[in-house]
Each structure stands twice: as C-alpha cells, then as structure tokens.
Amino acid sequence: MRLINRRPDRPTAVLLAALPFVAVIIAYWIGSEIRLSANPSDKLLPAPETIAATAKQLFTEGDRRTGEILLWSDTWASLRRLGIGVAIAAALATFLGVLIGMLPYARRTLSDFVAVLSMVPPLALLPILFIVFGLGETSKVVLIVVGITPFITRDLSQRVLDIPHEEIVKAQTLGASTAVIALRVVLPKIIPRLIQSVRLSLGAAWLFLIAAEAVAADSGLGYRIFLVRRYLAMDIILTYVIWITLLAFLIDWALKAISRAAFPWLEEGL
C-alpha cells in the first residue's frame, strides 16, 4: 500500500499528535538540567518543577496589596479585548465579503483597496492608533480589527465568488431580490468559511493583542509578561506563555467543534 493511502488508527493518531509535545518537553528539560548544573542560580531555563510551583502560586494566590489573583484578572482583560476585536472583525468582514463577492460595482471599488490594506503591517499602525484613540481599550480592539479584517474579507469574498452561478440565477428566477439572495443563498454558504477564517486569524489576533498590551496597558496577559521581564522572571513568563497557548488552543478547539456540529458535511481536516 502506498504511504499516501495509509491512515493511522485512533491510538496511533493520539500517539503521533503527542510526539512533538513530548519532544519539546524533553528538549527543554535537558537544556534546563545542563544550565542549572553549570549555574544553579541560572534564570534563563528554570526547572520544570519550578515552573509548576510558580503556576500553582499564580493560579491560586492573590496579590499582597489587593488580594486579587492577577492571572485571572489578566486573563479576563485579555479575553475581553480579544473577543470584542474578533467579533467586530468577523461581522465587518462578513458584510464586506458578501458585498465584494456579490456586487460587481462594489468589487471594482473595494477589492483592490482591501488587498492593499491586507499588506500594511498592523503593528506599524500601533503608534497612530494610540495617538488617535488614546491608550485605553479602544486602540487595542481597533488594532485587532485592523489586523485581521482584511484577511477574512478577502477569504470570504472569494468564497462568495466560488458559489456556482447557477444557484444565483435560480434564486433570481424565483423572484429573489439582491438582499434575499445575500441572506438566503450566500450567507449560509459562507458561514463555515467564516469560522475557518476566524480560526486561522486567531494567531495574528493574539499577536496584536499581546503587542498592544505590552506597550500601553495596566492589565492583561501581555502587560504582565513585559512587566516581569525586567526581573528575568522566566518562571512567570513561561507560565503565562503556556497559559496563552492553552487558551488559544481551547478557543480554536471550540470553534472547530461548533463547525463540526453545525456543518457535519465539512472535511475532517478543517
């Protein structure tokens, strides 16, 4: 049997998925052991048990001044910003994607403009956003919106263009208006792609969020990482990085589960 036709069974698939993570953990453990054996006070690669103890402290112990558990408050602040930014970007991209994909005049007017916007590095706009919107929550949310909306818009507009023209013609033959075609024909077909596009944009959204929080914030996961970096508190930094990664994975998994439940006919790899 050709290798391309071989598929792992369930236990093998789980094992193969775990292998890269195990390899990274082993590599880190070896590196940490080497550095700590040479210098027990080394802070660059803290021992795994040190990270575990720090994580337990961060998740359970409150701040000495306020009594608030900072990790949970930082998590809520970051997830709120991320959720608002991604939701606005998804809604705006859906509207623009349908508009560009359906209407030739809109496509001629906006397609190239959105393509150019997608080439602009969003982080280069960060100082401008802080000047225009201030250092509060708005600038951080706007950075996420500006960063991922063009990508999702281009993806959705292409999906609209890929809809068989015969379906549009049939709807018109039955008397459907442009608005009805958009709501009853186009929108149901692009929702699965919207979920997929949001999943693919989450990494960039987290990047923009962490960057904005690092520059100007008084709470948030990115703010805390850059606050403790001056003390070389790698155990805290790594705990936050692992937590951010876990949150991102859980959000992606949730979106994938929703997509599978709502659209079971989609391919398994999506």
Side-chain angles (χ1 to χ4, degrees):
M1 181 183 292
R2 293 183 177 87
L3 186 60
I4 193 173
N5 295 321
R6 295 181 180 178
R7 293 181 178 272
D9 54 24
R10 184 65 178 176
T12 305
V14 173
L15 178 62
L16 291 174
L19 276 180
F21 297 97
V22 174
V24 170
I25 293 172
I26 292 175
Y28 177 87
W29 180 78
I30 293 174
S32 176
E33 286 294 318
I34 293 174
R35 293 190 65 92
L36 291 175
S37 61
N39 180 14
S41 61
D42 182 75
K43 293 184 176 182
L44 184 59
L45 295 178
E49 55 268 22
T50 302
I51 297 176
T54 300
K56 180 180 179 182
Q57 180 181 357
L58 290 174
F59 277 101
T60 58
E61 296 184 12
D63 182 66
R64 293 180 180 178
R65 293 188 299 106
T66 63
E68 184 179 28
I69 300 178
L70 296 179
L71 186 140
W72 291 116
S73 61
D74 290 335
T75 299
W76 167 245
S78 292
L79 288 180
R80 184 179 67 250
R81 295 161 183 155
L82 182 74
I84 294 174
V86 171
I88 294 175
L92 186 59
T94 301
F95 174 76
L96 292 175
V98 171
L99 200 66
I100 294 171
M102 283 190 61
L103 306 180
Y105 275 94
R107 186 157 56 250
R108 290 295 183 184
T109 303
L110 297 174
S111 181
D112 292 337
F113 178 70
V114 172
V116 171
L117 283 182
S118 67
M119 306 301 173
V120 177
L123 292 180
L125 302 176
L126 190 55
I128 300 175
L129 296 180
F130 282 145
I131 293 173
V132 175
F133 297 102
L135 301 179
E137 298 296 295
T138 304
S139 57
K140 302 173 184 61
V141 173
V142 171
L143 178 63
I144 296 174
V145 174
V146 170
I148 67 175
T149 297
F151 165 76
I152 301 178
T153 299
R154 296 183 71 183
D155 194 37
L156 292 182
S157 64
Q158 185 59 51
R159 178 66 185 94
V160 175
L161 291 172
D162 290 340
I163 296 175
H165 186 63
E166 293 80 4
E167 297 187 20
I168 306 296
V169 173
K170 288 178 182 178
Q172 294 182 76
T173 302
L174 294 173
S177 63
T178 300
V180 172
I181 293 174
L183 293 174
R184 302 293 297 273
V185 179
V186 173
L187 196 59
K189 288 186 175 296
I190 67 171
I191 293 300
R193 180 64 69 89
L194 172 63
I195 297 176
Q196 183 183 2
S197 296
V198 170
R199 289 178 59 201
L200 293 174
S201 301
L202 280 177
W206 274 106
L207 171 64
F208 303 141
L209 173 65
I210 298 300
E213 290 180 342
V215 175
D218 55 9
S219 63
L221 299 171
Y223 161 77
R224 197 67 55 188
I225 288 175
F226 278 79
L227 180 66
V228 301
R229 83 190 192 282
R230 69 187 68 174
Y231 309 112
L232 292 178
M234 288 298 295
D235 53 340
I236 298 178
I237 293 174
L238 289 175
T239 299
Y240 268 75
V241 170
I242 294 171
W243 179 236
I244 291 171
T245 304
L246 179 60
L247 289 174
F249 172 79
L250 291 176
I251 294 172
D252 179 78
W253 178 84
L255 289 174
K256 186 175 182 179
I258 292 172
S259 180
R260 283 182 171 178
F263 314 104
W265 59 85
L266 292 179
E267 295 183 11
E268 181 181 353
L270 294 180

